[in-house]
Amino acid sequence: MWIVRVALQRPYTFVVLAIAILLVGPLTAQRMPVDIFPNINIPIIAVGWSYGGLSAEELANRIVSVFERMVTTTVNDVEHIESQTVRGTSIVKIFFQPGVRIEMAMAQVTAISQSALRQMPPGINPPFIISYNASTVPVLQLALSGQQLSEQQLFDLGTNFLRTQLATVQGASIVQPYGGKQPQIIIDLDQVALRGKALAPADVVNAIAAQNLILPAGTAKLGMFEHDIDINGSPRTVDELNDLPIKMAGRTPIYIRDVAHVRNGSPPQTNIVRVNGQRAVLMPVMKTGSASTLDIIERVKASLPRIQAGLPPELKIDQLADQSLFVRASVEGVVREAVIAACLTALLILVLLGSWRSTVIIAVSIPLSILASIIVLAMLGETINIMTLGGLALAIGILVDNGIVSIENINWHLEHGKDLEPAILDGAEQITVPAFVSTLCICIVFVPMFFLTGVGRYLFVPMAEAVVLAMLASFLLSRTLVPTMAKYMLHAHEEDRHAQRRASRNPLVRLQAWIDGGFTALRAAYRRSLEGVVAHRRAFAAGFLMLCVASLGLLPWVGQDFFPSVDTGQFKLHLRGPTGTRIEDTAILCDRVEQTIREIIPGRELASVIDNIGLPNSSMNLAYTNSAPIGPSDADILVSLSADHRPTSEFVHDLRVRLARDYPGVLVSACLRRSTSRWSGGRSRPTAASPGRWLGGSPTCLASWTSGCTRRSISPSCTSSRTARGRPRPGSRSARSRPICSFPSAAADRRRRRSG
């Protein structure tokens, strides 16, 4: 083969190439993003509409329906639309076809949103529009707490100080805080004083609106200088609002302080967060795009000391739900297993071949093939994850085939008395075509993965690329580097080589000779078995086919899941109380459930418990959430276990049994947390243990994201589904999921309470 001849004539070229791969490969691997899974680029645009105080039904019918119809007519490449509507807020999620230009889609959605404002009820706020994909998941939770800080102060510190400085972290997206109290100027009216002075609440509102103005006054040129003009049209402090006059009663002015009190307060709280029983503010750090999870968390942790130095000393920032621990452990586990596999492969080659020189030649080609594959994967924009590493680990056992065949054929020619270079050329030439065909056959097995669609394409194409690239690199190295190393490391065999081995007293040599004898006996036994099978080929073929058909009977006992079960040491409970439950009562319910959790899970195995009660403060948070809360009766409880804990599934099983018995009338779903829980859990349906009780499944089932339909969740009385492509067929996924998300109306709850 010409390339082998070139390798023998110019050996230093390929030696330098191998050294370059050895140097560039680790550097490339160090700079590649590291994550648990490949980047799942399913583009989504979320549009958040808000109209304070408007009921969910009115918001869905008068705003969301109009906007959805306009989107389907003007926005290109829409795959399906989902919407979730609660009181005062609605989130419309637009899913797009693969390969869409998300920049153009964003421009079209923004344009139609502004045009839709003309058809909306007067006073509505412009929509909040964000773009994200399936890989946008929380990788770190920052819990803000402090013994001397109120919830309003915690919310203010998180929103205006911590969030703004963490926004500069590359690859991180910081959403609005969960929990806390939003600052708001509150006017407490004295109804008796208003009636005594013949005033109405509108008079107070009009007085503040007329005297709290921000007007541009420009500048004034006086002499040689130009001065800024400041008009005293707006109070600078909250207390100054109390001194604003409302009207004149004769010659006596009536001030706001006479009939009301203006203070710095907060609106009624709709979201409560508690960390280990203490009120706190939770700030999730979201991963965006193909950024490395490890890099994002490292940058956030590196920035926190600098940021915290400028914050109040009593503020405590706890780092919870750190996904880098799981990602690093998973990646290191795959790498460790791959290294063990490579070492065992080299040891097996040494035992079978009995030549350390041949073993070194073959063993060198394994890491070089893997490093070459990593270099090309980086050029293709892939990341280091368990799919690409799993593909490389899968290929380790196959990579040695080309090298072993080459070395064995060269040794065969050497044993027959040929010189070194002719033996290398003849040995390589004889196996070139078979080795190439064998390599192509292995690569062709992975070709169908490139025709996958949806999530499967994003997951399995990187693994296929890793295997194919490693196989091609192994074939090229077996035709270039292996002959080059064989030229300098192998030598002609002695005629009485086997006799010398039998006479040798070296225990390793005698061990290898004993293994050779055992392998020869095994080969002879296999030959006899094969001859017997060929002699009775019809009976063997019939028995084999019957065994294959019988094995299909095991399918009902084989579980099905989108991903294998992984114990991350976290699980989440979603609670939903009776319709109309106040957030204070939901918090009491979470107290009881948390106490039950602590009774089942020993304290040494429990790291933290985070309660997220009610609706998020921001529509952006509602777009990112995957538990589909519909009101103050909803709550999420995230339980994190310590490093040394029993299997998480055992705790979840015990909790399902205990919660079903102790909390009748409360809907409960339990979900083992995964790094892909946003997207992998939404397809399983929970199992209803009894009316008013919900066990099993994933919290994402509350939304029941259904392909090809517009999902509309209307709070608080019911959840309905409407499709843009026709009604759901009976027995279809969307039709089956409707009863799961339906709840008794408020009137039914009241009748049930009166009858009880």
Side-chain angles (χ1 to χ4, degrees):
M1 188 178 181
W2 65 270
I3 192 170
V4 179
R5 189 172 288 106
V6 171
L8 295 178
Q9 293 174 356
R10 297 178 174 85
Y12 296 113
T13 301
F14 296 97
V15 171
V16 172
L17 178 62
I19 295 175
I21 295 175
L22 190 61
L23 294 177
V24 177
L27 184 62
T28 303
Q30 186 179 6
R31 297 189 177 186
M32 286 179 67
V34 180
D35 209 338
I36 188 67
F37 286 112
N39 183 32
I40 304 175
N41 189 19
I42 300 178
I44 305 169
I45 293 179
V47 183
W49 294 94
S50 60
Y51 200 125
L54 193 63
S55 67
E57 186 174 3
E58 289 289 327
L59 187 58
N61 294 332
R62 298 183 181 276
I63 297 176
V64 176
S65 297
V66 176
F67 176 70
E68 287 175 349
R69 286 195 295 269
M70 298 180 72
V71 166
T72 54
T73 6
T74 57
V75 180
N76 300 330
D77 298 322
V78 175
E79 198 269 334
H80 73 279
I81 301 174
E82 301 171 358
S83 63
Q84 179 190 358
T85 303
V86 296
R87 182 180 294 105
T89 304
S90 178
I91 299 297
V92 181
K93 296 179 180 178
I94 308 171
F95 292 74
F96 292 91
Q97 302 286 352
V100 68
R101 294 180 57 187
I102 195 63
E103 299 83 5
M104 179 180 294
M106 175 66 84
Q108 291 174 338
V109 172
T110 304
I112 197 61
S113 301
Q114 300 303 315
S115 301
L117 286 174
R118 296 289 184 179
Q119 304 182 29
M120 302 297 178
I124 187 173
N125 298 322
F128 188 89
I129 304 176
I130 58 175
S131 173
Y132 61 96
N133 58 30
S135 296
T136 306
V137 293
V139 295
L140 183 66
Q141 306 272 6
L142 300 179
L144 279 63
S145 60
Q147 295 292 340
Q148 301 177 1
L149 298 175
S150 64
E151 289 186 85
Q152 184 174 344
Q153 291 175 313
L154 292 175
F155 185 89
D156 180 64
L157 291 173
T159 303
N160 299 321
F161 294 92
L162 187 60
R163 181 170 178 264
T164 54
Q165 297 189 61
L166 287 179
T168 60
V169 175
Q170 183 180 359
S173 174
I174 314 297
V175 299
Q176 290 282 353
Y178 288 91
K181 296 181 179 180
Q182 302 182 60
Q184 191 176 72
I185 304 301
I186 304 296
I187 303 175
D188 298 323
L189 298 177
D190 186 347
Q191 297 292 341
V192 177
L194 282 175
R195 288 192 297 268
K197 298 186 181 295
L199 294 176
D203 296 327
V204 179
V205 174
N206 294 334
I208 292 180
Q211 300 176 76
N212 184 26
L213 302 176
I214 300 176
L215 300 174
T219 61
K221 296 182 179 180
L222 302 175
M224 298 175 59
F225 301 98
E226 184 174 2
H227 303 272
D228 293 328
I229 298 179
D230 186 13
I231 296 180
N232 187 18
S234 175
R236 298 185 179 276
T237 63
V238 176
D239 291 337
E240 292 180 10
L241 291 172
N242 290 298
D243 299 330
L244 297 180
I246 301 176
K247 71 173 187 178
M248 297 290 294
R251 294 185 178 182
T252 304
I254 300 177
Y255 297 97
I256 289 180
R257 63 173 178 268
D258 298 329
V259 295
H261 175 67
V262 183
R263 60 183 175 85
N264 187 5
S266 61
Q269 194 170 7
T270 61
N271 188 206
I272 297 175
V273 168
R274 298 182 304 193
V275 177
N276 296 327
Q278 182 182 358
R279 292 286 183 102
V281 168
L282 195 64
M283 297 192 63
V285 179
M286 311 291 291
K287 170 185 173 294
T288 60
S290 59
S292 172
T293 299
L294 300 183
D295 292 342
I296 293 174
I297 296 178
E298 288 178 1
R299 292 166 187 157
V300 170
K301 291 181 177 180
S303 302
L304 284 179
R306 172 181 55 84
I307 298 173
Q308 198 164 5
L311 298 176
E314 57 269 18
L315 177 65
K316 182 182 179 182
I317 302 177
D318 295 321
Q319 302 171 19
L320 307 174
D322 188 349
Q323 293 298 311
S324 66
L325 303 177
F326 175 63
V327 173
R328 186 177 287 108
S330 300
V331 172
E332 290 178 354
V334 176
V335 172
R336 181 174 60 253
E337 297 301 325
V339 172
I340 293 175
C343 294
L344 292 177
T345 302
L347 180 61
L348 183 62
I349 294 170
L350 177 61
V351 171
L352 294 179
L353 295 183
S355 171
W356 68 269
R357 298 175 185 270
S358 300
T359 303
V360 169
I361 295 173
I362 298 171
V364 166
S365 64
I366 297 177
L368 289 178
S369 301
I370 293 176
L371 291 176
S373 177
I374 289 176
I375 293 173
V376 182
L377 286 174
M379 296 173 62
L380 295 175
E382 301 292 348
T383 63
I384 293 179
N385 50 75
I386 63 173
M387 302 303 292
T388 53
L389 292 177
L392 294 175
L394 177 66
I396 285 178
I398 311 174
L399 294 178
V400 299
D401 292 349
N402 291 324
I404 288 178
V405 172
S406 299
I407 290 297
E408 269 297 297
N409 211 31
I410 292 173
N411 283 326
W412 186 86
H413 283 279
L414 290 175
E415 289 179 354
H416 284 73
K418 290 187 178 182
D419 293 334
L420 185 57
E421 286 203 18
I424 294 174
L425 290 172
D426 294 342
E429 184 177 0
Q430 290 178 353
I431 65 168
T432 296
V433 175
F436 183 68
V437 172
S438 174
T439 302
L440 286 184
C441 289
I442 296 174
C443 295
I444 287 174
V445 173
F446 296 92
V447 169
M449 292 187 181
F450 292 90
F451 297 97
L452 293 174
T453 58
V455 178
R457 175 179 179 84
Y458 295 104
L459 290 176
F460 296 108
V461 166
M463 183 183 70
E465 290 176 347
V467 176
V468 170
L469 292 173
M471 289 301 303
L472 295 177
S474 173
F475 176 77
L476 292 176
L477 289 173
S478 67
R479 305 277 81 81
T480 55
L481 184 64
V482 170
T484 302
M485 296 182 66
K487 178 181 178 181
Y488 291 99
M489 298 187 67
L490 298 184
H491 52 78
H493 292 187
E494 297 84 356
E495 295 183 0
D496 56 347
R497 179 167 175 257
H498 294 286
Q500 292 179 0
R501 282 190 175 184
R502 288 192 295 268
S504 176
R505 294 186 178 181
N506 189 329
L508 297 179
V509 175
R510 295 175 66 89
L511 174 63
Q512 202 276 329
W514 178 78
I515 292 176
D516 276 349
F519 184 77
T520 302
L522 178 63
R523 183 172 57 186
Y526 171 71
R527 180 182 180 87
R528 291 191 298 270
S529 301
L530 188 59
E531 290 174 350
V533 169
V534 172
H536 304 84
R537 50 186 175 273
R538 292 186 178 180
F540 176 78
F544 179 76
L545 290 177
M546 290 178 59
L547 182 62
C548 292
V549 173
S551 64
L552 297 178
L554 299 176
L555 285 178
W557 285 271
V558 179
Q560 296 182 7
D561 204 345
F562 194 77
F563 285 106
S565 298
V566 180
D567 193 346
T568 62
Q570 292 181 347
F571 65 90
K572 184 168 69 171
L573 299 176
H574 183 86
L575 311 179
R576 178 169 293 174
T579 304
T581 303
R582 294 178 54 171
I583 192 171
E584 295 84 1
D585 295 330
T586 307
I588 295 174
L589 173 63
C590 290
D591 285 333
R592 297 168 56 195
V593 172
E594 186 174 338
Q595 181 62 32
T596 303
I597 293 173
R598 297 183 183 278
E599 292 175 2
I600 293 178
I601 304 177
R604 64 180 182 279
E605 300 184 38
L606 187 63
S608 64
V609 179
I610 303 175
D611 302 337
N612 193 349
I613 308 168
L615 290 173
N617 297 317
S618 170
S619 59
M620 178 171 64
N621 296 36
L622 192 60
Y624 282 126
T625 186
N626 63 349
S627 56
I630 62 172
S633 59
D634 285 80
D636 288 330
I637 301 178
L638 177 62
V639 180
S640 299
L641 304 178
S642 58
D644 300 326
H645 63 84
R646 285 184 292 165
T648 308
S649 57
E650 295 183 6
F651 294 130
V652 173
H653 175 269
D654 296 342
L655 280 170
R656 283 173 174 168
V657 176
R658 179 77 175 272
L659 295 177
R661 185 184 71 238
D662 295 351
Y663 303 97
V666 177
L667 300 176
V668 182
S669 66
C671 172
L672 292 175
R673 292 274 294 181
R674 302 173 181 170
S675 291
T676 55
S677 60
R678 173 188 295 277
W679 304 100
S680 63
R683 296 300 181 191
S684 60
R685 294 195 307 275
T687 57
S690 62
R693 190 176 301 149
W694 190 4
L695 302 174
S698 166
T700 51
C701 301
L702 295 172
S704 291
W705 290 357
T706 307
S707 177
C709 72
T710 299
R711 188 72 179 173
R712 303 185 61 204
S713 169
I714 302 176
S715 164
S717 60
C718 68
T719 299
S720 62
S721 173
R722 187 182 65 182
T723 174
R725 302 177 183 174
R727 290 183 175 274
R729 298 186 302 274
S732 65
R733 184 182 300 275
S734 57
R736 290 196 307 268
S737 63
R738 291 179 63 183
I740 294 174
C741 296
S742 61
F743 303 97
S745 63
D749 283 343
R750 287 194 294 270
R751 287 195 299 270
R752 177 169 51 81
R753 294 191 187 98
R754 286 197 298 268
S755 63

